Amino acid sequence: MTAHAYAAHLHWDGSTAAGIRSYSRDHVATAPPAAAEVALSADPAFRGSPERLNPEQLVVIAASSCQMLSFLGAAARSGISVLSYDDHAASHLDLTAAPARLGAIRLAVTVTVAAGTDEAEVRELAEQAHRACYVANSLSIPVDVTTTVVTA
């Protein structure tokens, strides 16, 4: 079996000398060989920049993207014609948990398929994709997927 390795580089410049309320939470990350640089910060509630993504959002995005990629692969292998895929993914920071953590990630997926497609088969493929999603399988919090099928 081939090992798939993932690496990232994160960089921050600044100073914490003036205390907890004054240092910049802005930083950048890269993940070679991709050339894109991701501008990150803390959640604005924790003095981060609202114009930048935060780590909690990245976890939600990763779960959403993994589900979509797993589903599209399953659909393509099954000969299902998927025309579009939209997901409204959400979670929340549970500060009552010890330690604080993200709550369940909820994926509200809408899949548009070609006319004549068996909706039950699409839903089964979505379940298969969920079971195969590497990110969901790696998280200690639940990832719940609701799939709505629309026929074009």
Side-chain angles (χ1 to χ4, degrees):
M1 178 177 273
T2 302
H4 298 276
Y6 304 96
H9 176 255
L10 187 129
H11 180 76
W12 172 85
D13 274 322
S15 173
T16 58
I20 191 73
R21 296 182 185 277
S22 64
Y23 69 90
S24 172
R25 274 61 170 177
D26 292 358
H27 54 287
V28 296
T30 57
E37 182 176 270
V38 180
L40 299 162
S41 193
D43 181 315
F46 302 107
R47 301 184 183 278
S49 173
E51 293 85 29
R52 292 177 173 228
L53 294 170
N54 63 58
E56 297 81 8
Q57 290 170 313
L58 292 178
V59 172
V60 174
I61 289 169
S64 176
S65 178
C66 186
Q67 172 68 25
M68 182 198 70
L69 293 169
S70 296
F71 173 77
L72 293 177
R77 284 188 296 279
S78 294
I80 300 292
S81 179
V82 176
L83 304 176
S84 70
Y85 183 106
D86 290 286
D87 183 10
H88 296 280
S91 185
H92 66 281
L93 189 58
D94 184 355
L95 296 173
T96 64
R101 62 188 298 160
L102 287 175
I105 296 173
R106 309 231 183 263
L107 307 181
V109 175
T110 301
V111 178
T112 302
V113 295
T117 303
D118 181 352
E119 290 185 25
E121 184 178 5
V122 173
R123 284 191 180 76
E124 176 54 34
L125 290 173
E127 287 296 319
Q128 288 175 20
H130 180 56
R131 290 189 299 272
C133 176
Y134 305 138
V135 172
N137 291 335
S138 300
L139 295 172
S140 63
I141 58 171
V143 177
D144 301 321
V145 182
T146 303
T147 304
T148 301
V149 181
V150 175
T151 303

